[in-house]
Amino acid sequence: MAVLMGTKDGAAYIGEQLESLASQSWPRVDLWVSDDGSSDATTAIVETWRSRWNKGSLTLLQGPGRGFAANFRSMIIDPRIDADCYAFCDQDDVWEADRLESAIRWMEGEDMETPLLFCSRTATISQAGAPVGHSPLFRRPPSFRNALVQSIAGGNTMLFNRAARDLLAKASARTEFVSHDWWAYLIVTAAGGKVRYEPRPLVRYRQHPANLVGANVSWRARFSRLGRLFKGQFATWTDSNLRGLAVNRDLIARDAALCLRLFIRARKGNVFRRFSLLGKSGVYRQTFMGTLGLYVAFLWRRI
């Protein structure tokens, strides 16, 4: 089991996260920490954990210095990191004790030759660790048709098997991406892999001003995301995802490729053609209002 942690200036919270990793019920955890240029005590704290880490190995890497997505990409494609299962990890969260074991037990009941991706809901906490709320509970099945227009879980909740890692490494070596979690969801489902969304929160996600991506737990946050949708930011992200998929055509399963072609065509032409092709593609967001917003965004060419 390899845990891939991306860090930068995380000294304030990383100690608590490392404690939660050390308390995992899964016995063997090789921890890989890629630091992306911290100017605080982050790397010193990690170094002090070397002698205390009794669950496996602890390796500190130098990140590429180009942001969180590039930092996680560097670990995805790093051939030195070899394990049966892999998990993404943020520096400032707190993991429930069975976070790894819950995912691995699910995978043990599946075909390990199939790319498998486990993700979950999160519980949100304040800077001080007090409960704040939960991420939305999604009930529709994970799929490529959903992944094209929505990232349903944070990378901090994701665990994937060797087949999924090999797939991600091949795809990620060819292209950069906006966010490692959305990219993982896209690639695994595009290739016909299986995704498990766990409704029980297994990660406590810390909300603070330095967070790169905020939690979607309040109506204010949701309206903020809606605002970004209509400003065209999601269209920019979608463009990036589609470019990444284009250079990985050979990895995409036939059903996903058909959906993808319809979705791409739906972004062009007059409004009636867009709506018709969007409907035929079968893409959806997890809630009725989200799907309604998707159609409105298509009307205004904002996705």
Side-chain angles (χ1 to χ4, degrees):
M1 173 75 245
V3 170
L4 316 181
M5 176 187 281
T7 64
K8 184 176 182 182
D9 296 332
Y13 308 111
I14 195 171
E16 189 175 0
Q17 172 67 307
L18 289 168
E19 290 283 359
S20 75
L21 267 64
S23 299
Q24 288 297 297
S25 58
W26 194 254
R28 173 80 188 193
V29 179
D30 292 331
L31 177 57
W32 296 77
V33 180
S34 181
D35 187 77
D36 213 35
S38 291
S39 58
D40 64 3
T42 298
T43 57
I45 294 171
V46 173
E47 288 289 357
T48 64
W49 272 83
R50 281 187 190 273
S51 60
R52 300 169 55 190
W53 194 256
N54 59 8
K55 298 179 77 71
S57 63
L58 193 163
T59 307
L60 180 61
L61 306 169
Q62 182 176 342
R66 294 189 291 111
F68 80 97
N71 196 18
F72 278 105
R73 178 176 177 266
S74 71
M75 288 186 281
I76 291 171
I77 65 176
D78 191 334
R80 295 171 294 178
I81 306 177
D82 183 62
D84 291 330
C85 296
Y86 304 78
F88 293 132
C89 180
D90 289 348
Q91 64 190 2
D92 45 12
D93 299 328
V94 179
W95 286 8
E96 302 301 341
D98 64 338
R99 180 258 196 269
L100 294 177
E101 184 171 2
S102 295
I104 294 171
R105 295 301 183 201
W106 168 72
M107 288 185 178
E108 289 177 339
E110 302 292 331
D111 178 6
M112 291 295 279
E113 297 299 315
T114 298
L116 301 174
L117 175 66
F118 180 100
C119 57
S120 78
R121 198 180 185 194
T122 57
T124 307
I125 58 176
S126 68
Q127 284 181 260
V132 173
H134 295 87
S135 62
L137 177 59
F138 297 133
R139 302 184 185 279
R140 300 190 70 178
S143 71
F144 181 69
R145 285 172 169 78
N146 180 223
L148 269 176
V149 292
Q150 184 176 21
S151 179
I152 62 171
N156 57 346
T157 74
M158 290 182 169
L159 188 144
F160 43 101
N161 67 349
R162 184 186 294 272
R165 190 282 178 103
D166 290 346
L167 176 70
L168 278 171
K170 182 181 289 187
S172 301
R174 300 171 177 175
T175 183
E176 298 183 344
F177 43 76
V178 174
S179 181
H180 59 295
D181 45 19
W182 197 352
W183 180 245
Y185 184 30
L186 266 172
I187 290 296
V188 170
T189 54
K194 186 171 184 178
V195 176
R196 160 72 179 170
Y197 172 80
E198 171 59 52
R200 180 169 67 95
L202 294 172
V203 172
R204 280 173 265 168
Y205 170 75
R206 194 185 304 272
Q207 188 72 71
H208 56 83
N211 276 40
L212 288 171
V213 181
N216 189 17
V217 298
S218 67
W219 283 108
R220 181 180 178 182
R222 291 169 194 176
F223 279 121
S224 175
R225 291 187 178 217
L226 189 62
R228 292 201 298 271
L229 172 67
F230 288 103
K231 288 179 182 177
Q233 188 178 65
F234 281 9
T236 301
W237 292 347
T238 299
D239 287 340
S240 176
N241 287 339
L242 293 179
R243 286 193 298 270
L245 290 170
V247 298
N248 285 288
R249 292 187 188 92
D250 57 311
L251 305 179
I252 301 176
R254 183 176 180 179
D255 180 65
L258 174 60
C259 170
L260 180 60
R261 285 196 297 271
L262 290 169
F263 179 75
I264 291 171
R265 290 169 58 197
R267 300 179 82 211
K268 306 170 184 177
N270 62 51
V271 63
F272 299 107
R273 178 179 172 81
R274 293 202 302 274
F275 277 13
S276 174
L277 290 171
L278 184 62
K280 289 179 181 178
S281 74
V283 300
Y284 62 89
R285 290 176 66 86
Q286 285 287 329
T287 64
F288 171 78
M289 291 303 295
T291 301
L292 180 62
L294 170 67
Y295 274 80
V296 174
F298 256 80
L299 176 64
W300 294 101
R301 297 182 184 274
R302 292 295 186 267
I303 199 166

